[in-house]
Amino acid sequence: MAQARKIINDPVYGFITVDHPLLLQIISHPYYQRLRNIHQMAFAHLVYPGAVHSRLHHSLGAYHLMCTALRELKGKGAEITEEEELGAKLAILLHDIGHGPFSHALEQELIQDTHHERLSLLIMQKLNEEFDGQLQTGIDIFTDHYPKKFLHQLVSGQLDVDRMDYLNRDSFFTGVAEGVIGYDRIIKMLAVNDGNLVVEEKAIYSIEKFLLSRRLMYWQVYLHKTVVAAEKMLIMIIRRAKALIAAGIETTAATPAFNRFLQGSHSNGAIEALLDDFCQMDDHDIMATVKNWCSHNDAVLSLLCKAIIQRKIMRIKLQSTPIEESFQLQKIKEIVLATGIDEKDMDYFAFGGDASNRLYNADNESINILYKDGSLKDISQVDDPLIDVKISEPVKKYYFCYLRV
């Protein structure tokens, strides 16, 4: 295979080098190029106008950090073959390929009981067939079936390059300084011990800052109350459209692919037959359809769509205790009086739920600190911690969204 090399100018890291023909072919593939049109942060740009970067930006950034991490580990004596290096790069480049329109916001609405990791794997397997098995090592690393566990831990773990990039990138594009992490120092301090990824002792404070930054970004950006309300409104739009279609009312989507996903409840078992349709959809399909539905005859659907397009996002009450029932009933009564919409449809205009985030989950996969004497200690057990990472219980907040009237 002929040698090839491309340089990509990234606003966060500067120049990113892609120096393998297979990687360039994958990046050029329509499945991958589709990520250009999927926002990394869904509706966060309604609050932070700069947050319009895409899943493609993020995957290239994570790829860049993977290249840096592999180079550091090899420099410290870790045995990584050219095939394993290529596999790890493929795994991180394609780790988010299974995201659909508006990413996590619609993850369970278009295909029920199927997470994007499952879709990523299906797409990687399909690409593997197309490229004559050249992605198999990457797939094995992605699914944690490869013997060298540290390669998978770089792709998916408590301290993976995926998280490092999205925290760094999202803080850059939102302007939220609390999300800035010392990713370069953390990568410099990575090492391999007994086949697992560890961090050298000198990076303890950088790791604690990383964990704290992640929590701050979740509550200040990812779970910002206006972002939550906008994403829930989009879910209600999709649910209303599906209900109308099920009732025999014409509700055609802007594109045939999106229309097929509105026709019924698709689950994990049906996705393989619909994989091509799924890979044709992006944020543009959804927003073009929402614009069309602004003039739909159904008052519920048109009102919700107009509110999204005009940025008249629902009000939301967010607190650490369950929302009082009296408050909810009062808001429902006000909406009925103001809009004249039947009370039986109020579930679309007044609804609640909860959101949670965990600082550190030692049960999932630990962050082990390698001391100079060769001993290992979990980050939650370090002496004189800057933050109390022993608080591993998730922080939960309750919300109630209701239409502006």
Side-chain angles (χ1 to χ4, degrees), residues 131-237:
F131 288 95
D132 301 320
Q134 295 183 77
L135 279 70
Q136 191 56 54
T137 301
I139 291 173
D140 291 343
I141 291 171
F142 179 78
T143 56
D144 199 15
H145 289 135
Y146 199 76
K148 295 181 180 179
K149 298 297 182 183
F150 70 90
L151 294 174
H152 171 76
Q153 290 161 358
L154 282 171
V155 176
S156 179
Q158 292 273 13
L159 200 62
D160 55 44
V161 294
D162 170 29
R163 293 184 186 187
M164 281 190 227
D165 179 76
Y166 77 63
L167 286 174
N168 199 43
R169 186 169 300 274
D170 295 350
S171 64
F172 177 90
F173 280 98
T174 58
V176 177
E178 287 80 2
V180 175
I181 61 169
Y183 71 91
D184 45 355
R185 178 171 177 79
I186 293 173
I187 289 177
K188 285 283 186 184
M189 297 297 110
L190 292 178
V192 176
N193 182 273
D194 286 336
N196 290 298
L197 196 67
V198 297
V199 188
E200 293 175 4
E201 178 184 359
K202 289 182 287 186
I204 286 177
Y205 297 139
S206 296
I207 299 300
E208 292 189 315
K209 172 64 164 57
F210 166 83
L211 293 172
L212 185 57
S213 295
R214 186 165 177 262
R215 166 164 285 182
L216 291 172
M217 283 293 285
Y218 264 88
W219 290 118
Q220 191 166 338
V221 179
Y222 307 131
L223 296 176
H224 185 287
K225 62 180 184 178
T226 304
V227 175
V228 170
E231 292 180 356
K232 297 302 177 184
M233 286 174 70
L234 182 61
I235 289 173
M236 290 303 167
I237 288 171

Side-chain angles (χ1 to χ4, degrees), residues 232 236 317 323 328 347 350-354 398-402:
K232 297 302 177 184
M236 290 303 167
K317 187 173 185 179
I323 310 298
Q328 299 182 40
D347 285 348
F351 48 84
D354 61 71
Y398 300 85
Y399 64 83
F400 182 72
C401 301
Y402 53 97

Side-chain angles (χ1 to χ4, degrees), residues 332-346:
I332 291 172
K333 187 180 298 183
E334 291 174 5
I335 296 169
V336 171
L337 289 173
T339 63
I341 293 175
D342 198 307
E343 191 168 347
K344 67 180 177 61
D345 292 323
M346 279 302 106

